[in-house]
Amino acid sequence: MKYSVVNIARIAENLGKTVCLRGWVRNRRFGKGIAFFILRDGTGEVQCVASSEEIPEGELKSYEGIGLESSVQIIGEVRNDERSPGGYEIKVQEIIPIQKVTDYPIAKKEHGVEFLMEHRHLWIRSRTQTAILKLRNEIQKYWIDFFYEKNFYRADAPIFTSSACEGTTTLFPVDYHGDTAYLSQSGQLYNEATIFALGKVYCFGPTFRAEKSKTRRHLLEFWMLEAEASFMTHEESLQLQEELIVSTIEHVLSKCDSEFKILGRDIEPLKRVKPPFVRITYGEAVKLINEKMVERDAPFQYGDDFGAPEETFLSLQFDKPFFVTNFPVETKAFYMKPDPNDVSTLLCADLLAPEGYGEIIGGSQREDDIDALLQRIKQWNLPLEHLQWYLDLRRYGSVYHSGFGIGLERVVAWVAGLHHIRETIPFPRMLHHLFP
Ligand code: 4AD
Ligand code: MG
């Protein structure tokens, strides 16, 4: 018998032909003289029908030993079938088991999150988890293309770092042959060096924060894309962020129809993601919280950082992403530049996603004056010796520049409409959660 091995995604091109599919059994069902197998192979899934018309009774019976998640080769003819989800099915000629499984631990009944997290290495095979990972892949690829088209160079930052970028409370120390290194909290300081070589840059990699609180937004290891450009004002940076978000959403809406369906994601809120995005100042956000947020005992203090409840509240006030600008100097990192129109606040912004998702981007114009920067480093009590190299960037050809960081998992959680960030990365690292 002549047949070719094909991916499920390509069966339409093989209509009427006999093909060999290779993958895993997602589901199965037996009737009198008939068996239905749902086969998946990473590219898609298809129903395969084995009937006693073609297959000897004894062999058909033996298929009962091919349980969920068995690996198999299925040889059969591609047929049109309007009732099948993809419009095609396979008329089975033979099922060849590669490994028979009869005791797959994730049964079809509902499991608790605890159980699923412990079996994350298997849970990722599920239809919804696969859809999320495909969305993630699509967003990652889109971002790389976006920055390439905009003539940004990718210049990745180190993971072992010698200094804190985002405050000393969330550092992960590691022994570095007797010295202490820290896992990177942000590649920004390194981006600020590479812009002097390349003009416009971005880095994209894992980022580590020893977050001590358990929230549905925080991972201890997450992926962040950080862009930085010389001669880019804060205003231009906001425009770039807006364009990135709007076009990312357009991209996934055009590419990920089947993933949205699997996830049951209502895409109407995503369709509203059009420019321009509203901008409110931190001061206005505080006013909103104190006037409208009912579930609080005490007023929110100007100068405090927003916690998870405030972020959720703010995020529910708008129906598309919006910027919160001009945080007070004392709330943010040492490298941000004060706003010349109000030096008690910064040329910075967080971009918050709607629907309760909260912050997805943080960015600012950077302090480019060495004296002002030195003063901030002292105020923040940061170890000057570890930042001398960074100060060189203000000594040798300093120019105004801005940048931002966008959290991949936060964006995936929002786009996919997930309650919790843990499902947005294959193997989430969270407080007290390092297994598998
Ligand atoms: O606001 P953050 O801390 O900004 C920075 O790190 C800057 N150095 C970026 C820059 O200007 N180059 O983090 C940026 C983004 C957040 O908006 C959020 O999307 C994500 O990173 N993020 C997290 N995502 C998951 N888990 C966490 N613990 C996160 N912390 C930040
Ligand atoms: Mg932030």
Side-chain angles (χ1 to χ4, degrees):
M1 198 191 318
K2 259 189 72 184
Y3 55 74
S4 45
V5 176
V6 300
N7 288 329
I8 293 173
R10 310 297 294 265
I11 54 177
E13 300 153 32
N14 289 278
L15 184 61
K17 294 191 188 136
T18 295
V19 296
C20 173
L21 305 174
R22 299 186 293 205
W24 299 267
V25 175
R26 156 89 73 218
N27 212 340
R28 31 167 250 163
R29 188 158 54 83
F30 293 89
K32 203 170 154 37
I34 197 158
F36 299 91
F37 282 82
I38 305 287
L39 184 76
R40 59 170 189 85
D41 72 352
T43 74
E45 48 183 74
V46 66
Q47 171 163 278
C48 306
V49 186
S51 144
S52 56
E53 283 166 26
E54 284 85 18
I55 296 166
E57 204 63 55
E59 191 175 330
L60 195 58
K61 183 89 187 134
S62 76
Y63 291 172
E64 286 176 24
I66 305 174
L68 295 190
E69 293 304 319
S70 295
S71 44
V72 294
Q73 290 194 53
I74 295 185
I75 295 155
E77 186 193 328
V78 182
R79 296 204 172 167
N80 262 323
D81 183 84
E82 274 164 21
R83 290 157 304 169
S84 293
Y88 299 92
E89 68 170 23
I90 304 296
K91 184 91 183 146
V92 173
Q93 290 157 13
E94 190 180 4
I95 300 182
I96 307 165
I98 301 167
Q99 184 179 44
K100 283 189 190 176
V101 174
T102 52
D103 57 352
Y104 187 62
I106 303 186
K108 280 189 48 199
K109 66 175 161 34
E110 285 284 309
H111 290 289
V113 170
E114 198 69 17
F115 179 90
L116 291 171
M117 288 296 285
E118 261 173 40
H119 292 84
R120 181 67 182 164
H121 51 297
L122 303 178
W123 186 26
I124 48 175
R125 302 180 185 190
S126 76
R127 204 173 265 154
T128 48
Q129 297 307 312
T130 307
I132 296 165
L133 296 182
K134 287 186 178 180
L135 259 181
R136 177 186 169 100
N137 170 64
E138 205 55 60
I139 293 170
Q140 272 178 310
K141 183 211 178 291
Y142 180 74
W143 286 355
I144 290 167
D145 291 347
F146 177 92
F147 283 99
Y148 186 84
E149 290 302 318
K150 295 238 171 270
N151 298 312
F152 278 66
Y153 292 98
R154 181 168 180 166
D156 287 315
I159 305 273
F160 288 127
T161 64
S162 50
S163 47
C165 179
E166 297 300 322
T168 48
T169 55
T170 61
L171 286 171
F172 269 117
V174 268
D175 175 48
Y176 197 74
H177 286 306
D179 278 339
T180 301
Y182 302 100
L183 298 181
S184 176
Q185 289 176 310
S186 160
Q188 181 195 319
L189 304 187
Y190 299 97
N191 275 350
E192 286 188 67
T194 51
I195 57 164
F196 290 90
L198 299 163
K200 302 198 281 186
V201 305
Y202 75 99
C203 61
F204 192 13
T207 308
F208 305 86
R209 306 250 172 118
E211 306 280 3
K212 303 208 177 51
S213 57
K214 250 187 179 171
T215 81
R216 62 192 181 91
R217 299 199 176 91
H218 288 92
L219 292 168
L220 274 60
E221 176 176 342
F222 62 95
W223 279 63
M224 178 157 61
L225 185 150
E226 295 182 85
E228 193 78 28
S230 54
F231 306 108
M232 177 163 78
T233 60
H234 177 54
E235 173 59 35
E236 289 164 339
S237 173
L238 295 186
Q239 283 167 19
L240 182 65
Q241 292 169 44
E242 189 174 286
E243 192 181 335
L244 173 65
I245 295 298
V246 168
S247 63
T248 299
I249 298 301
E250 271 171 10
H251 180 78
V252 291
L253 284 175
S254 74
K255 284 274 181 188
C256 302
D257 205 31
S258 67
E259 283 72 28
F260 287 127
K261 286 210 176 83
I262 290 168
L263 295 166
R265 172 64 158 125
D266 174 11
I267 57 173
E268 290 310 312
L270 296 178
K271 287 187 184 160
R272 285 195 290 270
V273 180
K274 294 271 186 293
F277 293 169
V278 169
R279 298 178 189 182
I280 59 169
T281 63
Y282 169 90
E284 287 163 341
V286 171
K287 217 163 149 244
L288 256 178
I289 290 170
N290 284 332
E291 280 173 11
K292 286 205 183 158
M293 194 173 162
V294 280
E295 61 274 22
R296 359 181 8 98
D297 322 321
F300 185 85
Q301 295 298 319
Y302 186 96
D304 285 353
D305 212 351
F306 300 133
E310 289 82 25
E311 242 183 72
T312 304
F313 164 81
L314 286 172
S315 159
L316 290 168
Q317 308 308 304
F318 299 88
D319 69 356
K320 58 184 188 179
F322 61 99
F323 290 107
V324 181
T325 68
N326 290 84
F327 282 72
V329 173
E330 61 277 13
T331 57
K332 292 280 183 190
F334 75 98
Y335 50 71
M336 295 186 182
K337 192 176 175 68
D339 186 339
N341 296 317
D342 173 6
V343 291
S344 72
T345 70
L346 296 160
L347 284 174
C348 74
D350 283 358
L351 182 70
L352 275 68
E355 301 177 76
Y357 283 95
E359 182 189 338
I360 52 174
I361 299 185
S364 66
Q365 188 159 331
R366 319 307 190 186
E367 182 53 76
D368 46 52
D369 177 78
I370 188 159
D371 295 326
L373 195 57
L374 268 169
Q375 211 185 335
R376 297 290 300 282
I377 291 172
K378 280 192 197 118
Q379 270 168 6
W380 283 86
N381 244 332
L382 296 170
L384 195 57
E385 66 279 15
H386 287 157
L387 288 168
Q388 282 300 345
W389 70 271
Y390 182 68
L391 291 169
D392 272 354
L393 309 174
R394 275 63 174 168
R395 290 188 183 107
Y396 305 114
S398 185
V399 297
Y400 69 87
H401 62 284
S402 304
F404 62 88
I406 180 165
L408 176 62
E409 291 78 13
R410 295 268 181 99
V411 173
V412 174
W414 165 47
V415 170
L418 304 176
H419 173 71
H420 201 292
I421 198 165
R422 64 185 158 226
E423 293 175 46
T424 59
I425 184 165
F427 295 97
R429 306 285 96 150
M430 298 182 302
L431 194 63
H432 313 309
H433 193 99
L434 188 62
F435 176 89

